[in-house]
């Protein structure tokens, strides 16, 4: 069995000390599994002060790596990173005390002007092999693009990770898209979202879905650490029942 944890929190805009203490406190309650934290958990989208917030990122990453090592955890989420003067919303996966994967958010959310504050790079969606499963990552708005999850599915993904700060006005979309990605990829899907008022109202509803599209847990709008024990063999059982690599029946063209 694999233990999946998701953290749902109300963050304080730009208050790194308060935010990290809250998130680290939840991580410290987790043991031997995968922990997903919300998108931009350290500072939220405090866009006018991103450059100074990125200065704290190396220390925060070291703290996450230490927690990963001490508690035998794979920890994933996103955090702002400065790279040659450009700020990126950077996804990370940490295992055994070291960062093993980074991925910049590719699809920026223009409704909240992310493109004015963040740079982006050519899309990169790779599967990461860990002791707890083969992981893929899409960041918040990227959940709306099934082709990204399908790229990961074709590369052997077993668990789809979705760190997010998803707005409350689109709560139904968030829930529906998580379930759809789980069904389409035949993978476990885990999301970590913020909740309550930060700069805007956020949706909460951090969830874990199984490869059949069944909701295993949903945080609704509560803060906290939520978990589910999953059996990765369910991924392959689901794919045997509904094979998707090729058509189950030959396609007959008429006319």
């Amino acid at each position: 069995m694999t233990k999946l944890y998701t953290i749902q929190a109300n963050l304080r805009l730009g208050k790194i000390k308060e935010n990290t203490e809250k998130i680290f406190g939840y991580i410290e309650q987790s043991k031997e599994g995968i922990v997903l934290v919300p998108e931009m958990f350290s500072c939220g989208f405090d866009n006018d002060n991103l450059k100074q917030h990125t200065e704290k990122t190396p220390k925060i990453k070291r703290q996450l790596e230490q927690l990963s090592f001490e508690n035998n955890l794979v920890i994933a989420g996103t955090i702002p990173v400065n790279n040659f003067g450009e700020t990126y919303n950077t996804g990370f996966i940490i295992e055994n005390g070291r960062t093993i994967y980074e991925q910049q958010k590719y699809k920026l959310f223009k409704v909240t002007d992310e493109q004015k504050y963040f740079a982006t790079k050519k899309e990169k969606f790779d599967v990461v092999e860990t002791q707890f499963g083969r992981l893929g990552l899409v960041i918040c708005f990227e959940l709306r693009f099934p082709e990204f999850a399908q790229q990961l599915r074709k590369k052997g993904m077993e668990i789809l990770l979705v760190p997010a700060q998803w707005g409350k006005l689109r709560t139904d979309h968030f829930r529906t898209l998580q379930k759809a990605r789980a069904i389409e990829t035949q993978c476990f899907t885990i999301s970590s979202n913020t909740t309550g008022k930060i700069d805007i109202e956020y949706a909460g509803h951090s969830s874990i879905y199984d490869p059949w599209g069944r909701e295993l847990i949903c945080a609704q709008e509560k803060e906290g650490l939520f978990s589910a024990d999953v059996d990765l063999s369910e991924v392959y059982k689901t794919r045997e029942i509904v094979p998707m690599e090729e058509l189950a029946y030959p396609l007959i063209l008429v006319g």
Side-chain angles (χ1 to χ4, degrees):
M1 299 293 283
T2 298
K3 192 84 166 183
L4 303 182
Y5 298 92
T6 178
I7 293 171
Q8 182 161 287
N10 177 254
L11 303 176
R12 296 285 304 280
L13 197 65
K15 303 296 184 181
I16 288 180
K17 185 174 186 296
E18 294 177 33
N19 294 336
T20 54
E21 284 180 353
K22 177 181 283 191
I23 296 298
F24 291 167
Y26 288 131
I27 294 174
E28 286 169 353
Q29 298 174 40
S30 313
K31 302 290 181 184
E32 296 188 353
I34 299 168
V35 182
L36 185 63
V37 305
E39 178 186 25
M40 294 286 290
F41 75 92
S42 63
C43 60
F45 284 95
D46 185 24
N47 294 331
D48 291 331
N49 300 298
L50 285 173
K51 287 289 194 291
Q52 66 190 62
H53 293 323
T54 62
E55 295 173 4
K56 305 288 182 60
T57 291
K59 180 180 178 181
I60 293 168
K61 290 284 290 300
R62 288 194 296 272
Q63 291 172 299
L64 289 169
E65 289 169 343
Q66 185 66 28
L67 287 167
S68 164
F69 180 77
E70 291 174 351
N71 294 326
N72 190 24
L73 294 169
V74 170
I75 304 173
T78 92
I79 202 165
V81 171
N82 187 306
N83 190 1
F84 296 103
E86 299 279 12
T87 301
Y88 295 89
N89 183 349
T90 301
F92 60 83
I93 296 175
I94 295 169
E95 181 180 32
N96 195 29
R98 65 187 184 91
T99 300
I100 61 172
Y101 181 72
E102 290 188 332
Q103 173 182 312
Q104 287 74 34
K105 187 175 185 178
Y106 174 64
K107 284 288 187 182
L108 301 177
F109 192 48
K110 294 183 179 180
V111 174
T112 55
D113 290 331
E114 285 186 17
Q115 77 283 358
K116 294 181 180 179
Y117 302 97
F118 294 92
T120 188
K121 290 186 177 180
K122 185 177 179 181
E123 66 177 84
K124 172 190 174 185
F125 297 93
D126 288 332
V127 169
V128 183
E129 185 84 45
T130 75
Q131 63 180 310
F132 299 118
R134 295 172 59 81
L135 312 182
L137 179 72
V138 296
I139 301 170
C140 199
F141 183 49
E142 294 173 345
L143 183 65
R144 289 184 179 269
F145 299 86
E147 61 269 29
F148 298 158
Q150 282 301 321
Q151 286 182 42
L152 294 164
R153 164 73 164 83
K154 291 175 181 178
K155 293 180 179 181
M157 175 178 64
E158 296 169 327
I159 303 170
L160 176 64
L161 308 175
V162 189
Q165 286 213 43
W166 196 285
K168 189 170 185 177
L169 288 174
R170 299 171 294 279
T171 300
D172 286 347
H173 295 188
F174 188 49
R175 299 190 70 186
T176 300
L177 290 166
Q178 289 180 71
K179 184 170 185 173
R181 296 296 87 82
I183 293 169
E184 291 169 352
T185 63
Q186 300 172 307
C187 292
F188 288 96
T189 298
I190 174 172
S191 66
S192 174
N193 194 27
T194 48
T195 188
K197 180 70 181 292
I198 304 176
D199 49 338
I200 62 171
E201 288 277 353
Y202 286 94
H205 288 82
S206 302
S207 301
I208 300 173
Y209 286 86
D210 76 3
W212 201 253
R214 293 173 293 214
E215 184 181 86
L216 303 181
I217 66 103
C218 179
Q220 303 291 330
E221 297 185 12
K222 300 185 293 291
E223 286 192 272
L225 176 71
F226 303 86
S227 66
D229 292 307
V230 305
D231 183 350
L232 293 184
S233 70
E234 293 298 320
V235 172
Y236 301 98
K237 290 177 183 176
T238 302
R239 293 174 184 178
E240 287 179 5
I241 295 168
V242 186
M244 293 178 64
E245 280 74 14
E246 57 187 26
L247 291 171
Y249 302 99
L251 180 64
I252 301 174
L253 300 178
V254 179

